[in-house]
Amino acid sequence: MDQTALDLDLASFPTASREDWLKLVEGVLKGAPYDKRMLTRTADGYTLDALPERRRAAGVIAGRPAGAPWKIIARIDHDDAALANDQLLEDLNGGADGATLVFASAPSAGGFGLPVRHEELVRVLHGVMPELVTLRVEAGRYQGRDIALLLARQFEAFDPARLDIRFGLDPIGDFAALGAAPIEWDALSARLGQTVATLRARGLAAPMVRADGRLHHAAGATDAQELAAVLATATAYLRTLEAAGLALEDAAAAIEVALTADVDQFATQAKPRAFRQLWAAALGACGVEARPVALHMETAWRSLTRRDPYVNLLRGTVAAFAAGVGGADSLAVLPFTQGLGLPDSAARRLARNTQIILIEESNIHRVADPNAGAGAIEERTEKLASTAWELFRQIEREGGMVESLSSGAWQHRIAAARATRAKDVAARRLPLTGTSEFPLVGESVPSVLAPARHAAAALPAEGALLCEPLAAGRLAAPFERLREAAEAANPAPLAFLAGLGTPADFTARAGFARTFLEAGGIEAPPNDGFADPAALAEAFRASGARLACLCSSDAVYATQAVTAAQTLKQAGAELVLLAGKPGEQETAWRAAGMDGFLFAGADLLEVLGDLHARLGIAGKRIDMAVGPLSP
């Protein structure tokens, strides 16, 4: 075919205006209010339009140079120095551009982490060519200064101007994680300035101080709260470094920012763009010309699951894509088994390859800020930045990040956001695939080098400066505790699904009830339904279950639910549930032996926790408030 025949005259296509799109939407909504169906309210309180107008005049938000890929960063956290070295070299040879050295003292170490001793650190870094890679440090527990000086001594034979070592000094993050500081902030701040001055005197020029949002995100912060905390922390460090004698331009260049890349794709695409706007505004207020900030991102700890962990591969891919097109300078994808323990070589390789494929095969880095002009991303960027800026100003009015933490005001805000999100998770308004949705009872668990450990205990509640520590958590943890308790029970809990009527009557609700119950580890095998009470009673006795759940349509319930409930009770069922809302029939159904109802919008954790208690399988590991299943 002639090539000219394939050419399209795009000008011949009519331009579709927003009004044209709205007319099409009206046809789909069929009279439903636009603001009820097409506007979404975020956790930060602002609304987003599902059909925002294109921003034709929007400019590019400067991040990486056009066409430059982000740096692929591997996580090194093995507590054996020789094995950590093996992992580090394998990652670098396998395509990583650098590594985050996670020491045992770091809040993110999770019970593992590199040893701090100098001879062990030498072993970890053996064979690494520091001029060719980026090394990031996560220390914690106020050990950042000691580790930074150890690393500086380790590489003193190399040209410091060619070294990209991000020392990650973050005393405010240490304070927030531990809940205590050994000295007052003025003295701690002065020591930070002295450390930076010492490192700069050695000729090191890479960012040395880190404002880290991951700690806040893992503790439950919203996107705007994370950005506000990072901006407030970075501002405190600007003041510290200026007091130490650095020009504000040099102080800004000495700060690296770390943000979380989560599974909400559009939110993650907007987050780095919003922070770059915030940083430019903050520098402008200081009379400093805006310049791109060193921005690192890492996939979200709180979104990882231990159940059906293979879904974490999808979560990591979505988050990595969004961070990449959002403009992250460097990115670490947590291995999909990170929640289970210390990831093995295969899981680490998948974490690297997720990014390698996005860069080398999908080429998503080729365009500088591909979000520019897209209505949905531009609207989200603007509203996220505006909300975060107001939160930042509120922190500043409270005296800054340290004062807000010391007073508990910041922890109170995060706790409110965390509680709201927990309710959404429990009611499946925020579903967790493989955990609260489509759970897989009896699944195989991938191997790890070592099972998860308890993180290092917090410091005693003493020190010159105290606050309530920010504790990291995962959204799936309450469901996982229920599953663990169910698996430890003997015999394992089993539910009998009593399908009434035809398959068309009971299939939908049987599937719903099965997912509901198996989210708590109560296995509910499917069946073909039952034509009469005698067959229902016989099948229940043969099942060995103690719990039964009626499943059918409202029409069938109206004529068969009472008889079926009585039949199951007479057959030995200790608990009889019904899939669906009881409505006006509740009194009659309870009189017939119904013990509770499963329906969309119910608090799964509350209902499942009560079922565990009634079945005698609730152990001490289920640390959640459980309300009654029935009055």
Side-chain angles (χ1 to χ4, degrees):
M1 181 182 293
D2 186 2
Q3 178 63 39
T4 57
L6 297 176
D7 292 337
L8 296 176
D9 181 9
L10 296 180
S12 65
F13 287 86
T15 300
S17 66
R18 188 167 190 269
E19 288 68 28
D20 296 328
W21 283 106
L22 289 175
K23 290 178 182 178
L24 295 176
V25 170
E26 289 175 3
V28 175
L29 293 180
K30 297 179 180 178
Y34 182 92
D35 59 349
K36 297 293 184 183
R37 297 290 184 88
M38 302 295 286
L39 298 183
T40 301
R41 187 174 180 83
T42 69
D44 284 305
Y46 55 82
T47 58
L48 296 171
D49 193 333
L51 197 65
E53 195 162 0
R54 180 182 175 186
R55 309 290 181 84
R56 296 180 182 274
V60 171
I61 296 179
R64 302 186 310 269
W70 64 89
K71 292 184 178 181
I72 299 171
I73 303 296
R75 174 186 169 96
I76 306 298
D77 56 356
H78 205 299
D79 51 7
D80 181 285
L83 295 178
N85 176 254
D86 291 341
Q87 290 183 337
L88 177 55
L89 295 179
E90 181 180 24
D91 283 325
L92 294 176
N93 290 327
D97 300 299
T100 296
L101 306 178
V102 182
F103 288 86
S105 53
S108 59
F112 297 101
L114 304 176
V116 178
R117 296 182 301 277
H118 180 257
E119 61 273 15
E120 301 281 6
L121 183 57
V122 171
R123 190 175 306 174
V124 170
L125 296 171
H126 178 72
V128 174
M129 293 181 281
E131 299 136 303
L132 303 181
V133 300
T134 295
L135 293 177
R136 302 179 67 258
V137 178
E138 291 184 13
R141 289 182 173 261
Y142 302 102
Q143 295 188 357
R145 172 187 171 88
D146 296 336
I147 292 171
L149 295 177
L150 283 176
L151 278 169
R153 188 173 68 185
Q154 172 75 11
F155 295 127
E156 61 185 356
F158 296 89
D159 180 1
R162 298 180 60 188
L163 298 181
D164 187 10
I165 304 178
R166 315 287 175 93
F167 293 107
L169 301 169
D170 185 14
I172 295 178
D174 293 347
F175 176 53
L178 295 173
I183 54 179
E184 295 288 351
W185 170 243
D186 287 345
L188 198 59
S189 174
R191 190 168 72 174
L192 173 62
Q194 292 167 1
T195 303
V196 171
T198 299
L199 294 170
R200 285 174 60 86
R202 291 174 175 260
L204 296 161
M208 301 173 185
V209 179
R210 178 175 306 130
D212 201 333
R214 297 169 303 158
L215 175 69
H216 303 272
H217 186 274
T222 64
D223 292 332
Q225 286 173 339
E226 181 185 2
L227 295 187
V230 171
L231 186 60
T233 301
T235 300
Y237 292 154
L238 277 177
R239 296 187 179 109
T240 292
L241 298 179
E242 184 184 29
L246 273 71
L248 276 174
E249 292 83 354
D250 295 332
I255 297 173
E256 181 193 50
V257 163
L259 299 177
T260 308
D262 211 343
V263 294
D264 186 329
Q265 179 185 328
F266 286 175
T268 297
Q269 287 178 228
K271 188 185 290 187
R273 303 177 81 247
F275 186 81
R276 293 191 189 280
Q277 290 184 336
L278 291 168
W279 187 241
L283 291 181
C286 297
V288 177
E289 183 179 352
R291 62 178 65 188
V293 63
L295 199 155
H296 174 75
M297 298 190 78
E298 181 177 272
T299 54
W301 165 256
R302 81 180 184 200
S303 295
L304 290 179
T305 63
R306 291 178 179 172
R307 298 294 169 168
D308 203 356
Y310 296 101
V311 181
N312 292 331
L313 293 169
L314 303 179
R315 296 184 178 103
T317 300
V318 170
F321 171 87
V325 299
D329 295 309
S330 59
L331 173 65
V333 173
L334 295 177
F336 79 101
T337 57
Q338 191 74 45
L340 292 169
L342 197 60
D344 63 9
S345 178
R348 300 175 62 84
R349 180 172 180 266
L350 287 170
R352 293 194 311 271
N353 285 355
T354 296
Q355 300 189 63
I356 291 172
I357 291 171
L358 288 172
I359 292 172
E360 298 192 5
E361 295 189 20
S362 300
N363 287 283
I364 67 170
H365 64 289
R366 297 293 182 187
V367 178
D369 192 16
N371 305 287
I377 305 300
E378 292 289 359
E379 179 188 34
R380 192 149 201 165
T381 300
E382 291 172 3
K383 292 186 175 181
L384 177 57
S386 176
T387 305
W389 183 258
E390 290 306 312
L391 284 170
F392 162 68
R393 294 179 63 194
Q394 190 170 2
I395 294 170
E396 289 294 288
R397 286 193 294 270
E398 293 166 353
M401 198 68 226
V402 173
E403 287 297 326
S404 188
L405 286 166
S406 298
S407 69
W410 185 247
Q411 294 89 329
H412 178 74
R413 294 188 192 104
I414 289 183
R418 182 175 62 244
T420 299
R421 188 180 298 104
K423 291 179 181 179
D424 289 341
V425 170
R428 291 195 291 191
R429 289 186 292 271
L430 183 59
L432 306 177
T433 303
T435 300
S436 65
E437 290 281 4
F438 312 110
L440 186 61
V441 175
E443 64 184 327
S444 61
V445 179
S447 62
V448 292
L449 297 179
R453 301 172 184 168
H454 291 294
L459 291 177
E462 58 184 25
L465 202 59
L466 299 175
C467 76
E468 178 188 350
L470 295 179
R474 291 179 303 103
L475 301 179
F479 286 101
E480 292 167 354
R481 290 194 288 270
L482 286 169
R483 292 277 295 272
E484 289 168 8
E487 289 167 357
N490 187 17
L494 181 68
F496 176 80
L497 299 181
L500 308 178
T502 67
D505 293 319
F506 65 74
T507 297
R509 276 182 168 155
F512 169 83
R514 183 182 182 188
T515 292
F516 196 118
L517 294 166
E518 292 189 348
I522 302 173
E523 188 173 3
N527 54 57
D528 297 329
F530 306 95
D532 57 73
L536 177 64
E538 181 181 356
F540 175 78
R541 293 191 190 97
S543 70
R546 299 161 57 194
L547 162 68
C549 182
L550 300 180
C551 305
S552 195
S553 64
D554 291 343
V556 173
Y557 283 157
T559 59
Q560 299 185 31
V562 170
T563 300
Q566 293 171 340
T567 298
L568 289 167
K569 284 288 188 177
Q570 293 168 3
E574 297 176 27
L575 294 171
V576 176
L577 309 176
L578 181 141
K581 289 187 176 181
E584 297 177 354
Q585 301 290 334
E586 181 171 0
T587 300
W589 286 349
R590 287 196 181 278
M594 300 286 187
D595 296 289
F597 305 90
L598 311 182
F599 52 86
D603 187 320
L604 266 71
L605 294 174
E606 182 178 343
V607 174
L608 291 170
D610 190 59
L611 287 176
H612 273 227
R614 292 187 178 212
L615 294 172
I617 58 175
K620 293 183 179 180
R621 287 179 291 180
I622 312 301
D623 57 343
M624 60 186 72
V626 177
L629 183 64
S630 57

